[in-house]
Amino acid sequence: MTLDTYSDIAQPADAHTVLLVLDGLGGLPDAEHSQTELEFAQTPNLDALAAEGICGLHEPVASGVTPGSGPGHLALFGYHPAKYYVGRGVLSALGVGFDLRKGDVAARGNFCTIDESGVITDRRAGRISTEKNAELCEILREIELPGAELFVQPVKEHRFLLVLRGEGLGSGVGDTDPHETGKTPLEPAPVDDASRKTADLLRRFLDEAGKRLADRKPANMALLRGFSSIPDWPSITQSYGVSGGAVAAYPMYKGVSRLLGMSVYDSDASMQSKTQLVREHWNDHNFFFVHVKKTDSHGEDGAFAEKVKIIEEVDAALPDLVGLGVDVLAVTGDHSTPAAMKAHSWHPVPALIWAKDHVIRPDEVRRFGERPCIHGSLGPRFPGSSLLPLALAHARCFDKFGA
Ligand code: ZN
């Protein structure tokens, strides 16, 4: 099924659907625990929902692919990341909360080290500190370009965001990062006529950046990649007929939600504040996306016990959320972030769909965890992009297909 098919059968629905995403939910047993973080956590409420609903494990992008949070979330909204590809530049802009507008061209930048002959000796400039990065961005920001506005914003360590804004810019420009050391940076090359002006501006920018950074070793040059602009995608309302409200604390998730036409509500990290925002906007939307970040952060830090604690906090807060009158609830992650790996991973992500009022056909899963979910009716490796449409079907968002 494509999004067009859902859009053709979408019908008005009163029921409220909530997609609760615990970022990086999936885990692994580690040296001290024979269970995953989710299996180890005490989650009576999630277990009860699992028992009444259906469970499984999904793969956000494809088998064996480790997703970034941007593509992971697009999959969860039913926008398969292979088709709905968004460049690194746009993802970087969303990640720092930059107000990217239609027609802007964004790129991911790296400070790097070049030697006297211009050959790259370190693509990451020794991973300079974020403070140092901010200083260098100040310098780059002063560069003036004819007929375009320039924005340079620090990200983390050696990474920064570059945005060009102006008339007639295209994002079809090749990376200047050759992706290996021992080579000189590439010229920004336009791949289409619409991007010639952009490539010219970038050439000027990089010439000037080289001069201004010359005595700033190890960060004496910049590399650019992932040139991209805001994509022209169907909104979640166009795709499914629902009105979406997103409750999140971090820029990336708010940005992806905005890309899909959702209203965005700023929360803090607590489930209480998220539930309160859903309560306040209950009558404005029939679909809510609620995002919890800390499961992923603790996974990345290798903090098994802390990740368990966040899962338990979310579990304890679930009755308040469901008690608002939620008709359909989907709970999952955008990828796995096992504390044992201190990183995102390719492992399938546990998922459950619960619905009230006898519209769900229960399976035999009684506990929400990676191993129990293998036996659920959603399957042990279902495509992540089918989760939301399936949840919305339980909210009667779709009419019959064909006569
Ligand atoms: Zn994530």
Side-chain angles (χ1 to χ4, degrees):
M1 289 280 268
T2 66
L3 286 175
D4 289 347
T5 315
Y6 290 115
S7 130
D8 287 345
I9 55 173
Q11 63 181 8
D14 292 331
H16 281 74
T17 301
V18 173
L19 170 65
L20 172 62
V21 177
L22 284 78
D23 207 289
L25 175 64
L28 287 173
D30 69 1
E32 290 162 43
H33 307 84
S34 58
Q35 293 173 298
T36 70
E37 298 90 321
L38 177 60
E39 289 168 355
F40 188 84
Q42 297 293 316
T43 54
N45 296 308
L46 282 166
D47 295 345
L49 294 168
E52 289 178 21
I54 49 179
C55 291
L57 297 142
H58 73 85
E59 294 183 314
V61 180
S63 292
V65 174
T66 297
S69 285
H73 274 79
L74 286 173
L76 289 180
F77 294 125
Y79 292 66
H80 195 284
K83 181 171 179 202
Y84 295 92
Y85 177 77
V86 51
R88 264 191 184 272
V90 170
L91 283 176
S92 296
L94 300 181
V96 297
F98 182 83
D99 175 26
L100 198 64
R101 303 188 192 159
K102 287 252 180 229
D104 288 355
V105 174
R108 155 85 172 268
N110 269 17
F111 288 105
C112 71
T113 314
I114 54 173
D115 67 15
E116 311 72 51
S117 54
V119 169
I120 301 166
T121 56
D122 185 342
R123 286 180 54 246
R124 300 180 181 85
R127 289 191 187 274
I128 51 166
S129 69
T130 307
E131 293 71 41
K132 184 88 198 153
N133 177 342
E135 256 173 56
L136 299 173
C137 284
E138 290 281 344
I139 295 172
L140 297 185
R141 216 172 276 151
E142 283 166 14
I143 296 174
E144 288 186 18
L145 296 174
E149 265 186 279
L150 170 74
F151 303 87
V152 185
Q153 224 165 287
V155 184
K156 216 177 157 186
E157 296 173 335
H158 55 284
R159 306 179 189 100
F160 65 90
L161 164 73
L162 174 100
V163 176
L164 296 181
R165 177 173 294 163
E167 291 295 312
L169 298 180
S171 62
V173 178
D175 294 354
T176 75
D177 183 350
H179 297 274
E180 51 185 316
T181 51
K183 293 192 169 173
T184 53
L186 303 168
E187 286 278 303
V191 300
D192 52 37
D193 282 342
S195 305
R196 278 187 196 288
K197 180 179 168 189
T198 317
D200 285 342
L201 291 170
L202 290 167
R203 207 168 296 122
R204 281 169 183 259
F205 170 79
L206 289 165
D207 282 349
E208 200 54 40
K211 287 179 200 156
R212 297 186 189 207
L213 297 174
D215 58 352
R216 294 285 177 153
K217 220 171 173 183
N220 60 355
M221 191 49 196
L223 300 172
L224 301 172
R225 62 189 164 121
F227 294 100
S228 42
S229 296
I230 287 189
D232 200 11
W233 291 343
S235 69
I236 211 135
T237 305
Q238 287 166 325
S239 298
Y240 308 123
V242 295
S243 162
V247 177
Y250 281 71
M252 162 75 83
Y253 313 97
K254 293 189 269 196
V256 171
S257 303
R258 253 184 230 115
L259 273 188
L260 301 184
M262 282 182 255
S263 302
V264 172
Y265 306 110
D266 248 316
S267 74
D268 63 27
S270 75
M271 273 304 283
Q272 285 67 28
S273 99
K274 295 177 200 293
T275 302
Q276 179 54 28
L277 284 165
V278 175
R279 184 182 290 119
E280 279 168 28
H281 297 281
W282 187 252
N283 294 323
D284 303 329
H285 306 287
N286 57 352
F287 169 64
F288 288 93
F289 155 57
V290 178
H291 182 258
V292 175
K293 176 66 182 169
K294 287 267 156 31
T295 27
D296 176 63
S297 323
H298 291 312
E300 294 241 8
D301 291 342
F304 189 103
E306 281 75 10
K307 187 173 167 189
V308 167
K309 195 166 154 250
I310 300 296
I311 295 170
E312 292 180 343
E313 283 173 10
V314 171
D315 184 78
L318 272 180
D320 282 346
L321 179 64
V322 176
L324 296 175
V326 173
D327 296 281
V328 179
L329 175 69
V331 185
T332 191
D334 55 334
H335 49 77
S336 294
T337 309
M341 291 178 70
K342 295 188 179 181
H344 293 196
S345 79
W346 61 90
H347 299 92
V349 191
L352 75 79
I353 297 175
W354 171 89
K356 67 178 185 195
D357 295 340
H358 305 287
V359 291
I360 206 147
R361 180 192 293 156
D363 57 23
E364 295 190 346
V365 179
R366 294 289 171 271
R367 283 214 54 202
F368 191 46
E370 283 82 346
R371 270 167 283 198
C373 282
I374 292 171
H375 308 289
S377 66
L378 289 171
R381 290 176 186 280
F382 72 96
S385 56
S386 65
L387 180 74
L388 183 60
L390 187 56
L392 293 173
H394 287 81
R396 309 296 177 92
C397 287
F398 304 127
D399 197 359
K400 182 162 56 180
F401 178 77

